[in-house]
């Protein structure tokens, strides 16, 4: 099954800066989701964008989806030290089951 | 409070000693899934269930079993654990949607994880 490929693998920024993370994929999707994981803990859902949507916002998060390029980006504005975590994109497929396939994740470090 | 619980949170065991990791959700979700997380490999799905008595293999099912006798519970069974099953395990659940005859998953709620070491 396909897996989203996140880019970059690691990102280090200063507090207050914006962080942009990308996810690319190869086949059709029903939706694309972003999750955050603090070290060793369970994943927390951030935002879901459907294949017929182009942009969604949630607080300081902005997600875009370009189905023609098969890519998505997650933008965190005005980052905080508490945003330090791993971020995963997950693909909701169009197959017979409702499986989500997770990428390998992006490590974000926000320096105070 | 809506949540997914897993037990135990930490487990150290020896090769070949059968073990069960329990997972329970209180949100009446149809879909439940088990993942393992290993450094550099991300999350890989072990098994999933789309409803009671409906389970299927994920990407890495070898060495694992599951059952779904009740909607809220989805235990993961390792009949004969081996060192290569040392990993961080997550259970997750979600509602399911349907569109044009196909199912899709909404946001998944994750348990806190079970760190398993097999020596």
């Amino acid at each position: 099954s396909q897996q989203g490929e996140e880019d970059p693998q690691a990102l280090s920024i200063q507090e207050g800066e914006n962080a942009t993370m990308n996810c690319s994929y190869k086949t059709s999707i029903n939706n694309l989701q972003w999750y955050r994981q603090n070290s060793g803990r369970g994943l927390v859902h951030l935002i879901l964008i459907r294949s017929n949507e182009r942009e969604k916002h949630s607080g300081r998060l902005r997600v875009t989806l370009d189905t023609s390029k098969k890519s998505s980006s997650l933008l965190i504005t005005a980052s905080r030290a508490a945003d330090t975590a791993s971020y995963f994109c997950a693909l909701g497929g169009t197959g017979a089951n409702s499986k989500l396939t997770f990428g390998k994740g992006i490590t974000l470090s926000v320096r105070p | 409070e809506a949540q997914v619980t897993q037990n135990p949170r930490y487990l150290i065991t020896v090769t070949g000693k059968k073990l069960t990791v329990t997972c329970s959700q209180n949100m009446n979700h149809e879909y439940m899934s088990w993942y393992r997380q290993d450094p550099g490999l991300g999350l890989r799905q072990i098994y999933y269930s789309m409803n009671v008595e409906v389970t299927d293999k994920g990407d890495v099912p070898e060495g694992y079993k599951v059952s779904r006798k009740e909607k809220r519970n989805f235990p993961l069974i390792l009949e004969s654990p081996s060192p290569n099953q040392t990993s961080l395990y997550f259970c997750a659940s979600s509602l399911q949607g349907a569109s044009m005859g196909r199912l899709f998953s909404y946001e998944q709620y994750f348990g806190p994880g079970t760190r398993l070491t097999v020596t």
Side-chain angles (χ1 to χ4, degrees):
Chain A
S1 57
Q2 73 161 329
Q3 183 180 45
E5 290 192 17
E6 292 116 336
D7 171 68
Q9 289 185 323
L11 182 60
S12 181
I13 59 174
Q14 201 73 34
E15 205 165 27
E17 294 180 338
N18 295 341
T20 300
M21 292 168 269
N22 304 297
C23 175
S24 61
Y25 57 93
K26 291 190 168 70
T27 61
S28 297
I29 58 171
N30 175 280
N31 63 71
L32 187 145
Q33 304 180 31
W34 286 91
Y35 289 78
R36 183 187 76 229
Q37 182 183 34
N38 291 94
S39 180
R41 298 195 171 192
L43 278 73
V44 174
H45 181 265
L46 294 176
I47 201 161
L48 180 155
I49 186 165
R50 302 187 196 286
S51 59
N52 61 354
E53 296 175 315
R54 292 297 164 256
E55 188 170 313
K56 284 190 85 168
H57 296 256
S58 177
R60 293 184 296 112
L61 306 180
R62 174 179 164 248
V63 168
T64 61
L65 178 64
D66 186 334
T67 52
S68 65
K69 294 181 180 176
K70 292 186 167 55
S71 68
S72 172
S73 66
L74 169 67
L75 169 69
I76 304 175
T77 58
S79 63
R80 305 167 181 166
D83 294 328
T84 294
S86 293
Y87 292 81
F88 294 85
C89 76
L91 309 176
T94 58
N97 70 59
S98 46
K99 177 179 175 177
L100 274 186
T101 305
F102 286 81
K104 295 181 181 179
I106 297 169
T107 302
L108 172 66
S109 298
V110 181
R111 304 185 300 274
Chain B
E1 179 193 352
Q3 61 181 350
V4 178
T5 56
Q6 289 179 233
N7 282 292
R9 294 288 314 281
Y10 301 91
L11 180 59
I12 300 173
T13 189
V14 296
T15 298
K17 186 176 180 183
K18 180 179 178 180
L19 66 92
T20 299
V21 184
T22 64
C23 173
S24 183
Q25 50 95 3
N26 62 0
M27 295 167 280
N28 203 35
H29 286 166
E30 299 94 355
Y31 187 86
M32 297 187 75
S33 180
W34 276 102
Y35 300 90
R36 61 177 288 174
Q37 185 176 29
D38 303 288
L41 297 177
L43 273 83
R44 294 180 293 167
Q45 189 182 52
I46 303 170
Y47 269 93
Y48 65 94
S49 169
M50 292 197 283
N51 216 323
V52 175
E53 302 291 3
V54 180
T55 64
D56 207 348
K57 297 176 181 178
D59 299 314
V60 288
E62 294 77 22
Y64 305 94
K65 284 175 57 177
V66 293
S67 68
R68 187 93 181 269
K69 293 185 170 56
E70 309 162 279
K71 201 169 187 180
R72 64 184 298 128
N73 296 322
F74 190 44
L76 179 69
I77 302 154
L78 285 72
E79 294 269 2
S80 183
S82 62
N84 65 12
Q85 292 178 298
T86 292
S87 187
L88 179 57
Y89 291 86
F90 290 103
C91 179
S93 73
S94 74
L95 291 171
Q96 278 184 153
S99 173
M100 293 187 288
R102 293 179 183 272
L103 297 173
F104 61 90
S105 182
Y106 288 103
E107 62 179 285
Q108 291 197 2
Y109 291 78
F110 280 77
T114 295
R115 190 167 289 281
L116 173 65
T117 302
V118 184
T119 60

